Structures are given as structure tokens and as C-alpha cells.
């Protein structure tokens, strides 16, 4: 075994012991480049540490993506803004910068089925993970079921605390499945806990005036929830025909655009 081989094996062993995968992947190629270009030792060290820093950044993003539990990967690059009625590419790309998460503010995507609401919610969620934000995607019915099960097993407080730590909570498909009063109250408490503390994204096929049908006809609960959700919120209304229906080229497929009514006025500050 040559001295060079021995030195390489020692460095590899040290990178494993110190958990430096970026250094392990790049130190040999950078060493050759450094010798050829006659780099100072400090420049070589800087490049190796930069590679490790980039590796750790990518690792965090991968972890955030796994934790987000997206049902599929949807990016802004694959969204067709030319056929998306009511959606401004400029506005969406501005949101992708993430200031609304820092604020924090909410996003509400409202419109007919198949008009890109979930795609945009996931895409903006992915952009948030790139900024090392903690993101969680859940369909509304599944989220309420989890809350009810946690309450029944006396794990509700722990689940609520975990959900509160999420920087961006995406609640998809509000309106597809109605909740009973208990489920509605649990979702209301979650939104209330996150109010002005964490960002929430909601997709819905219902106008705001129709939300009462989802929350067991409880107008007071629905009004209070909308009051917190729509305050400090950006509402984006998607319109037009379902993308999936257009793909099938069904000439009879049509849908009526949903235009959310103005959310209820805030009566008094929350105590």
C-alpha cells in the first residue's frame, strides 16, 4: 500500500467518523484540482468546507421533503400558467420567495376541482422546504381524523404541539368531506393555535359562504374559523375547466368558477 493510498484511506475513515459526507465525496477531486492550479492550502480548505456545507444543506432539504409527506412532487416549473385562469405567475413566484411564511400569513386557494389548487400548494410547499422550512401536507379529512384519534387516545396535546412546530401546514381539500361538530372544533382549535404564529395553506372547492356546510352547520364556529384563517391571508381564486378533463378532451366537461365571498369582518381582537 502506497503512502498516498494510506493517506486517502485515513481521510475517508476520518470523514466517516466526523460525519462529513461532502468532504468524503469531493476531497480527492478538489485535491487534484488544487495541485494542478497551485492553490494555497487555505483555498483548498475553503473549497472542501464549501462542499460539505452544500452537502448538509441538500441533506436538510431532503429531510424536509420526506417530513412534508407530499402525495406527489409538483413544482412551479411544471405548472401551466398560460391555461390557469385567475392565477398570476408573478404573484405565485413572489410567494415562492417565502416572505409570507416569515410574516407569518396564510394562503387560500379556492376554485373548482382540477384547476391547479393542490399543485400550487404543493409547489409552494416545496419552495418552502428549499428554505429549510418545516412543511406538512395533509388532506383535511385525514387531518381531522388524526386529531380525533389523538383525542381518543389522550395524545391530542402532543399532536397539537407537533403541528404547531410546522412552519407551513397545508390543509388540502377542505369541503370534500363534511366534519361533525367534534372534528370541526378540533380543526378550529388547530387553526386558532397557529393564528399569527405559523403559516397555513388551505385549498377548497367551496366559496366561503358554503363552509358552514362542512362544519356541521355551525355558523358561529365557521365564522370564527374564517375570521382567523382569512385575516393576514392571500386568497387566490382559480377558475376554468378541470385540467384533467381538458386532458381527456371531453367537450362536455365544464365547471363553474368559485368566487369566495368576502370573509366576515373582524368584530374584536382575539383575547
Amino acid at each position: 500500500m502506497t503512502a498516498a493510498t494510506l493517506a486517502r484511506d485515513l481521510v475517508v475513515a476520518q470523514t466517516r467518523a466526523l460525519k462529513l459526507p461532502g468532504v468524503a465525496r469531493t476531497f480527492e477531486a478538489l485535491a487534484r484540482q488544487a495541485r494542478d492550479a497551485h492553490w494555497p492550502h487555505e483555498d483548498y480548505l475553503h473549497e472542501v468546507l464549501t462542499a460539505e456545507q452544500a452537502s448538509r444543506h441538500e441533506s436538510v432539504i431532503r429531510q424536509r421533503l420526506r417530513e412534508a409527506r407530499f402525495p406527489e412532487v409538483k413544482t412551479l416549473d411544471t405548472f401551466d400558467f398560460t391555461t390557469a385562469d385567475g392565477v398570476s405567475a408573478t404573484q405565485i413566484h413572489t410567494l415562492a420567495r417565502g416572505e409570507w411564511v416569515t410574516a407569518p400569513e396564510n394562503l387560500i386557494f379556492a376554485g373548482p376541482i382540477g384547476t391547479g389548487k393542490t399543485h400550487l400548494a404543493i409547489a409552494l410547499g416545496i419552495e418552502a422546504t428549499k428554505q429549510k422550512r418545516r412543511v406538512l401536507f395533509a388532506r383535511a379529512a385525514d387531518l381531522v381524523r388524526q386529531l380525533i384519534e389523538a383525542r381518543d387516545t389522550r395524545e391530542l396535546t402532543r399532536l397539537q404541539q407537533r403541528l404547531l412546530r410546522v412552519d407551513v401546514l397545508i390543509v388540502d381539500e377542505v369541503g370534500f368531506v363534511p366534519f361533525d361538530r367534534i372534528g370541526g372544533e378540533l380543526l378550529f382549535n388547530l387553526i386558532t393555535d397557529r393564528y399569527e404564529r405559523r403559516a397555513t395553506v388551505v385549498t377548497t372547492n367551496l366559496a366561503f359562504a358554503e363552509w358552514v356546510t362542512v362544519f356541521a352547520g355551525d355558523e358561529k364556529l365557521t365564522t370564527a374559523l374564517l375570521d382567523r384563517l382569512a385575516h393576514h391571508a392571500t386568497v387566490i381564486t382559480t377558475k376554468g375547466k378541470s385540467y384533467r378533463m381538458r386532458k381527456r378532451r371531453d367537450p362536455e366537461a365544464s365547471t363553474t368558477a368559485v368566487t369566495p365571498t368576502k370573509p366576515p369582518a373582524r368584530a374584536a381582537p382575539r383575547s
Side-chain angles (χ1 to χ4, degrees):
M1 179 180 294
T2 66
T5 301
L6 178 60
R8 176 195 175 280
D9 291 345
L10 287 173
V11 171
V12 170
Q14 288 173 316
T15 58
R16 289 174 179 169
L18 296 172
K19 297 181 180 179
L20 301 172
V23 173
R25 287 194 298 269
T26 61
F27 79 93
E28 288 183 288
L30 288 172
R32 288 192 295 270
Q33 189 175 353
R35 285 192 296 268
D36 294 342
H38 305 290
W39 289 355
H41 293 98
E42 293 82 1
D43 286 357
Y44 173 67
L45 178 60
H46 170 69
E47 292 298 329
V48 169
L49 293 178
T50 297
E52 179 60 34
Q53 190 174 34
S55 174
R56 294 191 179 197
H57 179 77
E58 292 169 1
S59 178
V60 170
I61 292 174
R62 287 194 298 271
Q63 179 65 22
R64 294 288 185 264
L65 281 171
R66 286 193 295 270
E67 293 173 348
R69 301 179 184 177
F70 293 121
E72 54 188 329
V73 175
K74 297 286 188 179
T75 65
L76 293 181
D77 291 340
T78 60
F79 187 82
D80 187 0
F81 287 97
T82 62
T83 60
D85 295 338
V87 179
S88 164
T90 300
Q91 182 184 30
I92 297 299
H93 283 98
T94 298
L95 290 170
R97 296 203 297 262
E99 286 90 347
W100 61 281
V101 181
T102 304
E105 297 177 352
N106 299 328
L107 297 180
I108 302 174
F109 292 98
I113 296 171
T115 52
K117 302 182 301 296
T118 299
H119 187 140
L120 290 170
I122 292 175
L124 289 175
I126 288 175
E127 292 300 317
T129 64
K130 293 178 181 178
Q131 298 157 13
K132 299 185 180 180
R133 309 282 191 175
R134 295 185 183 276
V135 180
L136 179 64
F137 177 98
R139 291 188 172 88
D142 294 335
L143 180 60
V144 169
R145 175 180 51 79
Q146 292 171 21
L147 289 168
I148 292 175
E149 291 176 353
R151 186 207 61 161
D152 293 343
T153 57
R154 299 184 179 180
E155 295 288 333
L156 182 58
T157 299
R158 181 177 300 179
L159 176 58
Q160 289 171 329
Q161 291 174 346
R162 180 169 65 85
L163 292 173
L164 186 57
R165 289 194 295 270
V166 174
D167 297 305
V168 180
L169 175 64
I170 301 174
V171 185
D172 191 40
E173 297 183 347
V174 173
F176 279 83
V177 180
F179 312 128
D180 59 18
R181 182 174 180 80
I182 293 175
E185 289 177 350
L186 289 171
L187 183 58
F188 168 77
N189 290 335
L190 174 60
I191 298 298
T192 298
D193 287 344
R194 294 180 60 83
Y195 174 63
E196 294 187 331
R197 300 171 68 184
R198 294 288 188 269
T200 302
V201 181
V202 169
T203 74
T204 180
N205 64 320
L206 298 180
F208 290 135
E210 299 176 291
W211 277 39
V212 67
T213 62
V214 180
F215 292 91
D218 191 326
E219 294 185 5
K220 290 184 178 180
L221 178 68
T222 305
T223 300
L225 184 142
L226 281 170
D227 179 58
R228 288 158 176 77
L229 186 63
H231 188 222
H232 304 311
T234 297
V235 180
I236 297 175
T237 304
T238 60
K239 304 174 184 178
K241 296 181 179 180
S242 165
Y243 173 77
R244 289 178 287 275
M245 296 296 285
R246 292 199 306 268
K247 290 286 285 186
R248 288 198 293 268
R249 295 184 179 180
D250 182 353
E252 297 181 358
S254 62
T255 185
T256 303
V258 175
T259 302
T261 58
K262 185 178 180 180
R266 295 180 55 79
R270 181 169 61 103
S271 58

